[in-house]
Amino acid sequence: MLERLQQQLHDINRSDAGYDIHDFLVTDAHVARAISGGDTMTNSGETLLLCEDEHGVALSLYLDEALLDRLRAGDPAAALGAGLLDDLCKVIEGLSHFNYVAWRASRDRSVTLLELELQAEVDKFVSTMQLAREKGDTELMRGLHARLFDNPRFHDHLSRRQLERYRAASEYAARFCQALVPRLRGCGEDLLPELRRFYRMSLGDKISHIHAHAWENSPA
């Protein structure tokens, strides 16, 4: 299940840095807290564990074992109709974080936390829309944007700075993804070049691109 979802993100963004997520996966919250020195949001069910020094970047991805067990019961697309969409989105978010940091690090490029969250929001939407299309779930395809972006829920324990970052990522992604909806309801293949360019943009260029899309799609 994780292999398929990771590969789906690689296929969308052309971002394969050659790392199998199973080699970096942590599913025990106690181990995740120990790795992070106690400073990690294990109660969310997903978090990227990262340590950077002069030797490079060390990565692990924490995904709660119970969350994975619920999704392993069937094909990822089956989770869409089994009340497990939130679990699925958490896994896609974690994989997106891992892929993005690994891809940037392989090119000796840094990444900000806002970039990380913004890309994850886009990846969640595009990936889930693809799964819904494969399943023929037109109801979810019509309602996914509203479900992910209209009333996003944030953890109560976030600091003000963290909350502002998550809100900004959600708002930027909502604008960008809204312009993608009509094409994602079709085959979506014509979107891949744009999504891959977006993946490689700097944060400033991404924000400019989002504003340009919003302007192009605003009512006359």
Side-chain angles (χ1 to χ4, degrees):
M1 182 263 294
L2 290 179
E3 299 95 325
R4 175 180 172 181
L5 292 173
Q6 185 182 31
Q7 188 59 52
Q8 182 191 37
L9 293 176
H10 287 328
D11 291 343
I12 291 169
N13 299 310
R14 196 169 283 166
S15 60
D16 193 347
Y19 300 110
D20 184 337
I21 191 59
H22 287 288
D23 295 332
F24 301 85
L25 185 64
V26 175
T27 60
D28 187 310
H30 298 290
V31 174
R33 283 194 290 269
I35 292 173
S36 67
D39 183 23
T40 189
M41 296 188 292
T42 55
N43 59 332
S44 70
E46 170 275 322
T47 193
L48 185 70
L49 307 171
L50 185 151
C51 180
E52 184 176 11
D53 59 25
E54 66 273 14
H55 302 294
V57 176
L59 283 178
S60 295
L61 177 63
Y62 167 70
L63 294 173
D64 179 65
E65 184 67 35
L67 180 156
L68 293 176
D69 285 343
R70 291 193 293 269
L71 291 175
R72 287 187 185 117
D75 185 89
L80 302 179
L84 297 176
L85 182 59
D86 289 345
D87 285 344
L88 181 64
C89 284
K90 284 181 181 179
V91 170
I92 294 172
E93 181 174 3
L95 291 171
S96 172
H97 288 337
F98 178 87
N99 287 352
Y100 200 44
V101 171
W103 186 85
R104 286 289 188 106
S106 71
R107 286 153 178 79
D108 198 26
R109 295 176 61 185
S110 62
V111 58
T112 67
L113 293 174
L114 179 54
E115 285 178 281
L116 200 64
E117 297 303 334
L118 171 56
Q119 187 61 51
E121 292 298 313
V122 173
D123 282 344
K124 279 191 296 185
F125 181 75
V126 174
S127 180
T128 306
M129 282 287 280
Q130 283 193 347
L131 291 171
R133 188 176 65 246
E134 290 172 11
K135 190 182 179 185
D137 192 336
T138 56
E139 182 178 355
L140 180 59
M141 292 175 72
R142 285 194 300 268
L144 183 63
H145 190 276
R147 182 161 180 177
L148 292 187
F149 298 118
D150 279 5
N151 293 290
R153 293 172 295 173
F154 304 106
H155 294 288
D156 294 336
H157 61 270
L158 294 176
S159 68
R160 186 177 69 176
R161 187 172 183 179
Q162 288 172 323
L163 184 58
E164 289 173 351
R165 182 171 66 246
Y166 280 104
R167 281 179 173 162
S170 179
E171 290 170 4
Y172 283 131
R175 294 181 191 179
F176 180 60
C177 292
Q178 183 63 60
L180 307 181
V181 170
R183 286 182 285 172
L184 283 170
R185 288 176 180 168
C187 71
E189 289 298 320
D190 64 317
L191 266 178
L192 294 179
E194 180 180 349
L195 290 171
R196 290 164 183 170
R197 286 194 301 272
F198 185 83
Y199 197 82
R200 288 154 177 77
M201 290 178 184
S202 67
L203 178 60
D205 286 343
K206 285 184 177 182
I207 292 173
S208 295
H209 185 73
I210 290 167
H211 285 312
H213 264 259
W215 177 261
E216 289 172 2
N217 290 277
S218 62

